[in-house]
Amino acid sequence: MSSGGPERPQLVAHVQQALNYTLFDCKWVPRSARLLCLGSAARGTGLLQLYELRGGRLALLREIEKAKPIKCGTFGATSLQQRYLATGDFGGNLNIWNLEAPEIPVYSVKGHKEIINSIDGVGGLGIGEGAPEIVTGSRDGTVKVWDPRQKDTPVANMEPVQGESKRDCWTVAFGNAYNQEERVVCAGYDNGDIKLFDLKTMSLRWETNIKNGVCSVEFDRKDVNMNKLVATSLEGKFHVFDMRTQHPTKGFASVSEKAQKSTIWQVRHLPQNRDIFMTSGGAGSLHLWKYEYPAQRSKKDSEGAEMGVAGSVSLLQNVTLSTQPISSLDWSPDKKGLCVCGAFDQTVRVLIVTKLNKV
Amino acid sequence: MPVWLREYSWRQTGSAVYLSLPLRGVRVTPANIFCADQYLKVSIPPFLFEAILYAPIDDTNSTAKVGNGIIFFTLYKKEVAMWDSLTLATANKEKLQYLRENAVLKAHEKAKEETKAKKVTKQEHKKYALEATMKLEEAERKRIEDLKEKERQKVTKELALWKKQQKDAEKQKRVQKEGELHQEVEQLKEKKKEKMNKTRIPNEETSETRLKPTKGCHGSYSMFSENLKEEQLPAPRSAATIKINFTSRVFPTALRESRIAEEEEWLRKQAEARRTVSADLSEVEDLKEEEKNPDWLKDKGNKMFATGNYLAAVNAYNLAVRLNNKLPLLYLNRAACHLKLRNLHKAIEDSSKALELLTPPVPHNEHARVKAYVRRGTAFCQLELYAEGLQDYEAALKIDPKNKTIEKDAEKIRHLIRGTMQDS
């Protein structure tokens, strides 16, 4: 339960809404008090619901039904005026929808042979520079990067070598997009692999294995020189990698924390403060963490190569909201501390985190 | 026989009797004094003092003070009266006895009642204490709840305010846009008027073209800015593929640290089970550890096959089969070696044995079965038993219909058959 102490941030449950379908992802619509719930109805079709936060409740504005259940969505690659939603569904299709006219998608491609587990977008919403791109990771073991201006073929495809047995890709994230050329994609797989692909040189930049299936990866900011990467996994562990210094053999320095007894499903950084992030767990709990940098971020090892130094992570607050896993989490980019989470008990909850200014 | 104490002195008032009993040289404890409502006894072996009182007294309130070799009793009478004497004059032993017993019984009952009363009061005290702590905890909880409520309300207000701000900001923007558009239109209209005053026909054209941008009214302002931005966006990346390798994992499930031990155990057992299924200890004794492992031998055989050393490969497979004759892959690979060595009958034997072991036919061993059929078919064809060969090729094709090489070879055989039939 949340602990007292007058200066600690409190996680206040603001609104709760029971749904009659399985909720897989929830996202704030940028520049508004509206949120989007994506999921799967009992009859096997996909559902998109648009809610608005009014007073103390969520008012349903629109409900859109699609052929296949929708697993994930992002607004990351659209402009602020258009605000198109990119979704990945159970059939491996990537679609981009205009929510004003959702009958026909603006862009559609059958990107993967199996369900798209995770999606991320970069280059839109006025954040960062460079082309808008969407990356999808799927159960068929491939990670593909799409440009909405190019039909049918991905602009980058990370696939296993011929004859290699495939592993599910569970999560993808963009990062390092600080100018028009640079971009990296980080992908996490179910066998514990984390791979970092550099899209400028089209090569594998780094890989590691964290001994547990990787549920979620996120850079603290997509549009800066890559600073930190948080990877969460099964068995209640998460790792924070310091991405500023890459050692030729040891890779990136990291600190890991075993927080909850169950899977940590999601990690999301606060858009307004990149050192604060929230993790959501399989036991229905949310933990708010703060990362503290070490005195020196890099040091020289015995051969004189630069090596990163990882800092430390401290728990600010935690709260248990549900008995079922909280599978999706999103911070509002417009209001500091406002976040929405969706759990497998078919409820979407809007939370407010207070006192973040004093952290 | 007890020593009776008869030296005592007493005096009385209307409501109380004061009795002093001297005791020389004996230590008195409260246990030695026994008092019922009409009976008083002090028993310090061997001394004994007993008195059946004239009238009943209130024994709960009466006191006995012990000190200085004397006990001083203060007995409060139940009825206010003056007693003729301290004790009742009764000579009857039986009566005495009866009175004594009665007194004892009464004392017992009193004691019981007292303990009961004590229990009850104890219970009540406990209850009270519990209730008090519960109230305190309630208060604490309420306090925390109130704090949370306050936070929540504060935050809701802030949220409402923020939403309002947003709406206002949007409205303002819209108003601004319209204002600016108006201005543009005004300016253009003015320019148009000016130019119309100068010349006519050419102007209409220009004015028309100039009006077009403003017609696309609402979007125009933003359209222009967006066009500019789109030009700034780089072209889509040139497509490329990155090939990756995964950390190998035998199981299709996700990796969990807590399960690693179990999984290793299972794999180890599987490997052991495959090792010596049918080994004869006498043969096996002088082999090295590695050579007893059929999997290792199979790998060795494969390597030798790859380098072209077919006889050595056959030897390796032979040894492996001696150790474990239930592995279909050994027979399959040996069949391939025999084909290369043109030991066609042996090739057929081995492929057949492999197919036997590859029952039941499941998708899992599809690949192996196709190979087995193909090898047997090749052997038959090389023996010029084309009909049987074709049968095997068709079986292979049934399992894997998409394989072009098998199809081509089957076609060739059909031609050959037709050719020979035509000849004969």
Side-chain angles (χ1 to χ4, degrees):
Chain A
M1 299 308 293
S2 33
S3 30
E7 291 312 312
R8 280 171 148 218
Q10 298 290 327
L11 297 167
V12 177
H14 179 58
V15 177
Q16 191 164 302
Q17 173 85 357
L19 306 168
N20 59 355
Y21 59 94
T22 310
L23 183 61
F24 287 113
D25 203 0
C26 49
K27 284 275 179 314
W28 287 103
V29 178
R31 290 282 194 277
S32 72
R34 290 190 217 117
L35 62 92
L36 209 56
C37 291
L38 307 171
S40 156
R43 50 184 174 273
T45 55
L47 267 184
L48 266 149
Q49 281 190 333
L50 186 64
Y51 285 95
E52 179 160 24
L53 200 56
R54 273 190 208 154
R57 50 180 211 91
L58 284 176
L60 178 63
L61 295 181
R62 282 199 81 153
E63 182 166 318
I64 303 163
E65 193 163 340
K66 292 294 166 200
K68 293 258 184 199
I70 301 177
K71 180 72 167 49
C72 51
T74 180
F75 281 105
T78 67
S79 62
L80 280 170
Q81 290 89 349
Q82 290 177 326
R83 292 188 282 183
Y84 292 161
L85 174 72
T87 60
D89 68 12
F90 276 46
N93 302 306
L94 167 67
N95 292 313
I96 302 185
W97 307 98
N98 176 355
L99 294 170
E100 309 290 321
E103 297 77 34
I104 311 261
V106 168
Y107 178 94
S108 175
V109 65
K110 179 152 167 67
H112 292 272
K113 298 193 193 89
E114 301 194 54
I115 177 178
I116 293 181
N117 279 319
S118 171
I119 192 172
D120 195 15
V122 75
L125 298 181
I127 298 174
E129 305 181 20
E133 280 174 342
I134 297 171
V135 63
T136 53
S138 157
R139 191 185 287 172
D140 66 4
T142 61
V143 172
K144 296 190 184 170
V145 180
W146 310 87
D147 189 312
R149 301 167 293 178
Q150 180 172 302
K151 287 204 162 301
D152 296 332
T153 44
V155 294
N157 183 357
M158 284 64 121
E159 60 183 9
V161 167
Q162 267 290 6
E164 175 95 22
S165 64
K166 58 178 184 63
R167 305 300 322 179
D168 294 8
C169 173
W170 277 356
T171 176
V172 288
F174 270 118
N176 206 29
Y178 62 89
N179 66 22
Q180 293 203 355
E181 290 94 29
E182 290 283 345
R183 206 158 277 183
V184 307
V185 167
C186 182
Y189 297 83
D190 73 334
N191 64 347
D193 279 346
I194 299 180
K195 296 189 193 292
L196 193 67
F197 304 106
D198 187 330
L199 293 182
K200 183 168 151 199
T201 60
M202 280 299 178
S203 63
L204 177 66
R205 183 153 162 186
W206 168 66
E207 59 181 346
T208 182
N209 187 302
I210 60 173
K211 304 280 185 297
N212 281 299
V214 184
C215 295
S216 173
V217 287
E218 201 195 33
F219 284 94
D220 57 352
R221 284 281 178 274
K222 290 187 230 188
D223 56 334
V224 299
N225 199 352
M226 51 185 190
N227 189 34
K228 296 202 303 299
L229 173 71
V230 178
T232 71
S233 72
L234 304 173
E235 315 259 301
K237 282 209 175 136
F238 69 88
H239 302 248
V240 183
F241 294 92
D242 182 317
M243 304 300 271
R244 277 289 158 86
T245 325
Q246 181 169 11
H247 188 270
T249 48
K250 296 188 196 152
F252 295 103
S254 74
V255 62
S256 81
E257 206 42 61
K258 186 171 161 88
Q260 298 151 331
K261 296 224 178 83
S262 50
T263 309
I264 301 188
W265 284 72
Q266 279 281 18
V267 62
R268 287 280 180 261
H269 289 88
L270 186 62
Q272 293 86 1
N273 181 342
R274 65 183 182 180
D275 298 323
I276 297 182
F277 57 92
M278 184 114 90
T279 57
S280 70
S285 59
L286 289 173
H287 289 242
L288 189 67
W289 302 88
K290 182 169 164 66
Y291 179 81
E292 265 120 33
Y293 293 96
Q296 267 198 321
R297 283 190 75 173
S298 74
K299 61 179 187 204
K300 287 208 186 293
D301 71 349
S302 48
E303 279 117 40
E306 286 281 326
M307 207 167 97
V309 177
S312 63
V313 169
S314 62
L315 177 64
L316 291 177
Q317 190 57 273
N318 71 337
V319 70
T320 304
L321 296 173
S322 161
T323 52
Q324 298 291 323
I326 296 185
S327 59
S328 63
L329 190 56
D330 193 34
W331 292 101
S332 164
D334 308 302
K335 174 97 180 76
K336 184 170 184 176
L338 185 64
C339 67
V340 62
C341 63
F344 282 148
D345 58 358
Q346 299 194 339
T347 329
V348 61
R349 294 175 174 85
V350 176
L351 298 163
I352 301 175
V353 184
T354 59
K355 300 205 182 80
L356 283 171
N357 295 318
K358 301 197 186 122
V359 168
Chain B
M1 273 300 297
V3 178
W4 290 95
L5 296 168
R6 306 243 187 243
E7 294 176 1
Y8 59 86
S9 57
W10 69 291
R11 59 183 181 82
Q12 59 169 322
T13 64
S15 58
V17 174
Y18 305 101
L19 171 67
S20 73
L21 183 67
L23 295 160
R24 270 167 254 121
V26 270
R27 221 188 250 144
V28 187
T29 60
N32 302 120
I33 305 176
F34 176 70
C35 179
D37 63 348
Q38 209 171 347
Y39 178 74
L40 181 63
K41 179 172 87 163
V42 181
S43 154
I44 305 160
F47 299 106
L48 181 59
F49 168 77
E50 190 187 59
I52 297 169
L53 301 166
Y54 189 82
I57 55 158
D58 185 2
D59 57 326
T60 39
N61 283 334
S62 310
T63 58
K65 246 194 233 160
V66 176
N68 284 340
I70 199 168
I71 309 181
F72 190 72
F73 290 98
T74 313
L75 309 168
Y76 293 101
K77 298 180 185 168
K78 272 200 182 146
E79 282 173 12
V80 178
M82 297 303 284
W83 290 0
D84 292 338
S85 71
L86 181 62
T87 59
L88 273 177
T90 43
N92 201 340
K93 218 176 185 182
E94 279 180 6
K95 194 153 188 222
L96 274 174
Q97 187 74 341
Y98 167 74
L99 279 169
R100 271 188 214 128
E101 283 177 5
N102 213 8
V104 169
L105 274 171
K106 277 205 189 128
H108 271 181
E109 275 176 28
K110 233 202 226 165
K112 262 195 227 160
E113 275 179 31
E114 264 179 30
T115 44
K116 257 196 218 159
K118 253 196 206 165
K119 258 195 204 166
V120 169
T121 41
K122 210 177 172 189
Q123 285 266 28
E124 276 178 12
H125 282 190
K126 266 195 199 164
K127 241 189 177 176
Y128 177 73
L130 188 64
E131 274 176 14
T133 40
M134 276 173 66
K135 272 202 201 118
L136 279 173
E137 280 179 9
E138 258 312 305
E140 183 62 29
R141 235 178 281 158
K142 203 157 177 293
R143 191 182 66 86
I144 294 181
E145 277 300 318
D146 284 339
L147 277 174
K148 281 196 195 162
E149 251 320 296
K150 262 192 234 156
E151 285 272 358
R152 206 178 300 171
Q153 283 174 355
K154 201 168 74 165
V155 144
T156 328
K157 270 191 220 147
E158 277 180 22
L159 206 61
L161 199 65
W162 168 70
K163 272 191 67 184
K164 233 185 102 210
Q165 278 179 358
Q166 278 224 320
K167 282 204 181 129
D168 289 341
E170 272 191 38
K171 271 192 202 148
Q172 270 205 1
K173 262 196 207 158
R174 237 181 284 154
V175 166
Q176 245 192 3
K177 261 195 212 169
E178 283 175 11
E180 284 175 357
L181 279 170
H182 265 293
Q183 276 192 2
E184 272 194 30
V185 171
E186 289 296 323
Q187 281 180 3
L188 284 164
K189 275 193 189 155
E190 280 191 20
K191 279 192 192 157
K192 197 173 95 175
K193 273 189 201 149
E194 279 181 22
K195 289 212 172 156
M196 275 189 84
N197 289 339
K198 291 180 186 171
T199 48
R200 278 199 185 175
I201 303 170
N203 245 356
E204 277 177 45
E205 290 183 321
T206 50
S207 63
E208 270 183 34
T209 53
R210 219 172 273 157
L211 274 175
K212 268 195 196 147
T214 57
K215 264 190 191 168
C217 212
H218 264 296
S220 71
Y221 190 55
S222 48
M223 216 165 68
F224 277 137
S225 59
E226 260 200 56
N227 275 337
L228 281 174
K229 220 194 167 195
E230 265 194 45
E231 283 174 24
Q232 289 173 357
L233 288 176
R237 224 175 273 277
S238 45
T241 316
I242 304 177
K243 295 284 186 189
I244 55 177
N245 283 310
F246 294 112
T247 316
S248 65
R249 182 165 165 76
V250 174
F251 301 89
T253 53
L255 177 62
R256 280 173 194 270
E257 255 183 323
S258 57
R259 297 282 174 150
I260 291 182
E262 280 177 34
E263 290 173 357
E264 299 277 299
E265 194 48 41
W266 191 86
L267 284 173
R268 205 176 45 80
K269 286 199 180 144
Q270 290 287 328
E272 269 194 38
R274 287 160 63 87
R275 277 170 64 114
T276 40
V277 165
S278 53
D280 212 352
L281 270 177
S282 58
E283 295 178 349
V284 164
E285 256 172 27
D286 42 337
L287 287 178
K288 285 192 283 185
E289 189 55 43
E290 292 178 315
E291 293 174 352
K292 287 189 203 159
N293 184 355
D295 281 319
W296 184 85
L297 286 167
K298 183 174 72 116
D299 284 333
K300 261 302 193 198
N302 291 350
K303 276 190 216 147
M304 288 190 264
F305 184 89
T307 53
N309 190 350
Y310 303 120
L311 283 171
V314 170
N315 273 331
Y317 292 131
N318 285 343
L319 185 53
V321 161
R322 284 217 328 249
L323 289 174
N324 185 344
N325 60 4
K326 297 266 182 268
L327 296 178
L329 291 175
L330 296 174
Y331 293 103
L332 196 55
N333 294 355
R334 204 169 64 174
C337 298
H338 282 308
L339 268 182
K340 295 283 182 186
L341 293 169
R342 308 229 23 144
N343 295 338
L344 302 168
H345 288 280
K346 289 212 179 135
I348 294 173
E349 255 179 52
D350 278 340
S351 321
S352 310
K353 185 80 197 215
L355 278 171
E356 254 178 55
L357 287 170
L358 283 171
T359 47
V362 286
H364 192 65
N365 53 21
E366 224 171 54
H367 210 56
R369 277 183 295 128
V370 167
K371 278 199 215 157
Y373 278 121
V374 168
R375 284 173 193 165
R376 203 167 67 175
T378 325
F380 277 130
C381 293
Q382 293 193 356
L383 285 172
E384 302 203 353
L385 298 167
Y386 294 113
E388 283 82 358
L390 187 58
Q391 263 182 357
D392 277 337
Y393 267 95
E394 294 196 331
L397 212 49
K398 219 170 55 169
I399 306 175
D400 186 11
K402 298 201 191 109
N403 195 324
K404 296 290 174 196
T405 28
I406 302 181
E407 257 195 72
K408 268 196 290 178
D409 291 337
E411 268 307 303
K412 266 196 247 163
I413 301 175
R414 277 190 212 111
H415 272 300
L416 278 169
I417 295 181
R418 266 181 238 133
T420 49
M421 281 179 66
Q422 276 180 356
D423 283 347
S424 57

